[in-house]
Amino acid sequence: MHNLLSFLFRYGYCFLFVLLEFICLLLLFRFNNYQSGIGFTSANNFVGAVYNVSAEISSFFNLDIINKQLVLRNIELEAENSMLREKLKSVSPDSIVDELHFTLNHQGYGTIPARVVNNTINMQDNYITLDKGTCDGIYPEMGVANGNGIIGIVYMVSDHYSLVISLLNRKSSISCKFKHSDYFGYLRWQNNDSRYAFLEDLPRYAQFQKGDTIVTSGYSAVFPKGLIVGTVDNIADSEDGHSYLLRIRLAADFSCLDNVLVMHNRNCAEQHELESLIK
Amino acid sequence: MLFVFFRRFCWLWILVLIQALILNNIQLFGYATPFLYVYLLLKFNVDTSRYSLLLWGFCLGLAVDIFTNTPGVNAAATVLLAFVCPFLVWLFSPSDSSDNFSPGIRSMGTIPFLKYVVLALLVHQTALFVILTFSFTHFFDLLIRIVSCTLITTLCIWSIENVKR
């Protein structure tokens, strides 16, 4: 008995080591389970608050860049505005009302503005934390975009924060198509460069060229149709040779995200209901 | 006793915040990220009980994990480091040293201390990246990451040691 106790006392730390490693692995695998990891991620309130302060400080230093982007965007919109004004003069009142009605009905999306409080781009799987949560009407599987292009999909939400799976994440897979044709593929991220992602499963007979614009296909109801994703940067064959593998230059600059829009589809439930009928 | 605990607790938070808010955003040449937070574990006195070393390691790793959305990854690597740390100190400590000292350039000498740090960091980084990627398909990529992160972290720790002296 005495020997046993002294043995336990001398080597007890080994058992503690095994126990702690076991807890670590448990956490590691539990996190894959949807929603259960909320307490151990940056979507919890305390860590969210810390990142909030940090984001406010860093957004102050980014004001210069954001200002330049806004000026450019302003010029762009100014040009578009004058062009639309020209068009407006040439059409009758009736046709405009019809067109507006059609777009709203067709898209059926509302938007919630939010700010990025934490963002990584150099991990294997990147997540973004936003400062809005269930209290502001954000729920999992809503799309997130900024003025330049799409950014990701909401993954977990707490009361005041939400965690977004960035496009730069191996779990992310978004259905995209060409702006000028309807051939579609899936956008995934493979390597460690935050500027590029890859468009997979594109059929071999699709017609396109370098520099073509890629937009969301709108099939999944997460994103409306036609949001800009990026441009074709390089064309290669997939590993099995049955389809193309395109390197896409992403339109959104993931290294300086600040203001974003979360989109919710008003007809989402209806589409899910209809699609569940065939299962 | 309580004072030591409180001081370590403050250092833990300072290092975790530096790691989460500044160092995790650094990626030299697309690979090297300094993992400075392990410095806390490397500086523990030699006579610290192994139980408390393991528990401190677990808390430190978990705190970093919560900020980087990778629960368990850093914690597992840091607990492993806490487990092998006393052995590594014993390997490189000078034979005429007293029973109780904190590993550092002054107490161990520059070369043995750097050897100790590099070996400890190699253990930590290897565990960290193997758990993080969970595959050996990009083996060469993994190797570059482990070596570059170890080198840059060693450089950080070395410069801090020199400033403190």
Side-chain angles (χ1 to χ4, degrees), chain A residues 91-102:
Chain A
V91 284
S92 65
D94 272 342
S95 66
I96 293 171
V97 174
D98 274 356
E99 205 170 270
L100 191 69
H101 189 71
F102 176 75

Side-chain angles (χ1 to χ4, degrees), chain B residues 28-29 31-36 38 114-115 117-126 129 143-159:
Chain B
L28 282 183
F29 315 116
Y31 286 104
T33 305
F35 286 86
L36 193 62
V38 291
L114 285 184
K115 278 184 192 165
V117 169
V118 168
L119 210 58
L121 285 174
L122 272 181
V123 170
H124 178 259
Q125 305 295 324
T126 309
F129 284 116
L143 215 60
I144 295 179
R145 245 162 222 280
I146 291 171
V147 173
S148 63
C149 290
T150 304
L151 286 182
I152 196 165
T153 314
T154 313
L155 200 68
C156 289
I157 291 177
W158 188 48
S159 41

Side-chain angles (χ1 to χ4, degrees), chain A residues 100-121:
Chain A
L100 191 69
H101 189 71
F102 176 75
T103 350
L104 279 182
N105 249 350
H106 181 64
Q107 299 279 17
Y109 281 82
T111 55
I112 305 162
R115 298 195 67 182
V116 172
V117 294
N118 180 40
N119 175 22
T120 61
I121 57 168

Side-chain angles (χ1 to χ4, degrees), chain A residues 196-267:
Chain A
Y196 301 102
F198 288 85
L199 192 66
E200 297 173 354
D201 300 343
L202 197 73
R204 288 218 71 102
Y205 46 84
Q207 300 275 326
F208 58 88
Q209 53 193 348
K210 244 184 197 178
D212 277 0
T213 307
I214 304 289
V215 295
T216 51
S217 67
Y219 293 160
S220 63
V222 174
F223 289 106
K225 197 173 182 173
L227 284 183
I228 290 181
V229 177
T231 50
V232 177
D233 183 73
N234 187 28
I235 301 169
D237 293 331
S238 68
E239 277 173 20
D240 58 7
H242 293 314
S243 55
Y244 282 119
L245 181 68
L246 303 186
R247 188 167 70 169
I248 307 298
R249 168 96 207 197
L250 294 170
D253 183 357
F254 281 81
S255 57
C256 59
L257 294 179
D258 195 9
N259 291 301
V260 296
L261 284 178
V262 182
M263 289 166 284
H264 63 93
N265 186 349
R266 299 196 192 92
N267 303 325

Side-chain angles (χ1 to χ4, degrees), chain A residues 8-9 12-14 16-17 20-21 23-24 27-29 31 40-42 44 46-47 50-51 54 118-119 122-124 127 163 170 192, chain B residues 13 17 20-21 24-27 50-51 54-55 58 62 66-73 75-76 79-80 83 131-134 141 145:
Chain A
L8 281 180
F9 188 72
Y13 65 87
C14 293
L16 183 65
F17 169 68
L20 288 178
E21 288 287 1
I23 295 173
C24 293
L27 283 175
L28 188 67
F29 292 114
F31 185 58
F40 287 105
T41 66
S42 62
N44 89 28
F46 170 71
V47 176
V50 172
Y51 274 135
S54 151
N118 180 40
N119 175 22
N122 51 28
M123 314 284 281
Q124 294 255 332
Y127 295 90
L163 197 63
R170 287 175 299 183
N192 300 308
Chain B
W13 276 111
L17 287 181
L21 300 181
N24 276 344
N25 298 316
I26 296 175
Q27 209 177 25
R50 305 192 69 153
Y51 294 99
L54 283 170
L55 287 174
F58 181 69
L62 197 63
I66 290 174
F67 276 94
T68 54
N69 295 323
T70 52
V73 178
V79 167
L80 180 69
F83 185 69
I131 297 170
L132 204 59
T133 51
F134 231 85
D141 198 72
R145 245 162 222 280

Side-chain angles (χ1 to χ4, degrees), chain A:
Chain A
M1 192 62 200
H2 178 74
N3 281 342
L4 184 70
L5 280 180
S6 69
F7 173 80
L8 281 180
F9 188 72
R10 276 188 68 188
Y11 295 104
Y13 65 87
C14 293
F15 296 114
L16 183 65
F17 169 68
V18 173
L19 179 74
L20 288 178
E21 288 287 1
F22 182 72
I23 295 173
C24 293
L25 291 181
L26 211 64
L27 283 175
L28 188 67
F29 292 114
R30 280 288 291 193
F31 185 58
N32 293 327
N33 208 341
Y34 193 62
Q35 297 259 350
S36 62
I38 198 90
F40 287 105
T41 66
S42 62
N44 89 28
N45 279 341
F46 170 71
V47 176
V50 172
Y51 274 135
N52 220 343
V53 174
S54 151
E56 265 166 35
I57 295 171
S58 60
S59 81
F60 179 77
F61 289 108
N62 281 336
L63 281 182
D64 193 35
I65 301 166
I66 291 171
N67 204 9
K68 275 179 197 150
Q69 280 182 344
L70 282 179
V71 169
L72 282 178
R73 187 86 186 132
N74 222 349
I75 295 169
E76 224 172 85
L77 290 176
E78 200 79 51
E80 196 181 328
N81 195 7
S82 62
M83 192 193 75
L84 290 176
R85 249 173 230 283
E86 288 298 312
K87 268 194 181 166
L88 200 61
K89 281 178 194 163
S90 63
V91 284
S92 65
D94 272 342
S95 66
I96 293 171
V97 174
D98 274 356
E99 205 170 270
L100 191 69
H101 189 71
F102 176 75
T103 350
L104 279 182
N105 249 350
H106 181 64
Q107 299 279 17
Y109 281 82
T111 55
I112 305 162
R115 298 195 67 182
V116 172
V117 294
N118 180 40
N119 175 22
T120 61
I121 57 168
N122 51 28
M123 314 284 281
Q124 294 255 332
D125 289 307
N126 294 289
Y127 295 90
I128 299 168
T129 316
L130 305 180
D131 68 344
K132 297 278 167 65
T134 27
C135 292
D136 309 282
I138 293 184
Y139 293 96
E141 296 191 26
M142 285 184 176
V144 182
N146 75 359
N148 298 324
I150 65 164
I151 292 186
I153 296 174
V154 177
Y155 176 47
M156 292 179 188
V157 279
S158 63
D159 285 352
H160 297 102
Y161 295 99
S162 49
L163 197 63
V164 175
I165 294 189
S166 154
L167 289 189
L168 314 179
N169 190 313
R170 287 175 299 183
K171 281 184 207 159
S172 161
S173 165
I174 288 169
S175 164
C176 296
K177 70 178 194 71
F178 290 104
K179 195 176 182 182
H180 297 296
S181 65
D182 278 335
Y183 294 116
F184 73 97
Y186 290 93
L187 190 78
R188 295 199 179 89
W189 192 61
Q190 301 182 338
N191 65 356
N192 300 308
D193 197 330
S194 67
R195 292 170 301 171
Y196 301 102
F198 288 85
L199 192 66
E200 297 173 354
D201 300 343
L202 197 73
R204 288 218 71 102
Y205 46 84
Q207 300 275 326
F208 58 88
Q209 53 193 348
K210 244 184 197 178
D212 277 0
T213 307
I214 304 289
V215 295
T216 51
S217 67
Y219 293 160
S220 63
V222 174
F223 289 106
K225 197 173 182 173
L227 284 183
I228 290 181
V229 177
T231 50
V232 177
D233 183 73
N234 187 28
I235 301 169
D237 293 331
S238 68
E239 277 173 20
D240 58 7
H242 293 314
S243 55
Y244 282 119
L245 181 68
L246 303 186
R247 188 167 70 169
I248 307 298
R249 168 96 207 197
L250 294 170
D253 183 357
F254 281 81
S255 57
C256 59
L257 294 179
D258 195 9
N259 291 301
V260 296
L261 284 178
V262 182
M263 289 166 284
H264 63 93
N265 186 349
R266 299 196 192 92
N267 303 325
C268 188
E270 197 178 319
Q271 183 175 349
H272 277 307
E273 206 177 307
L274 187 63
E275 281 173 354
S276 67
L277 289 180
I278 56 172
K279 276 170 194 164

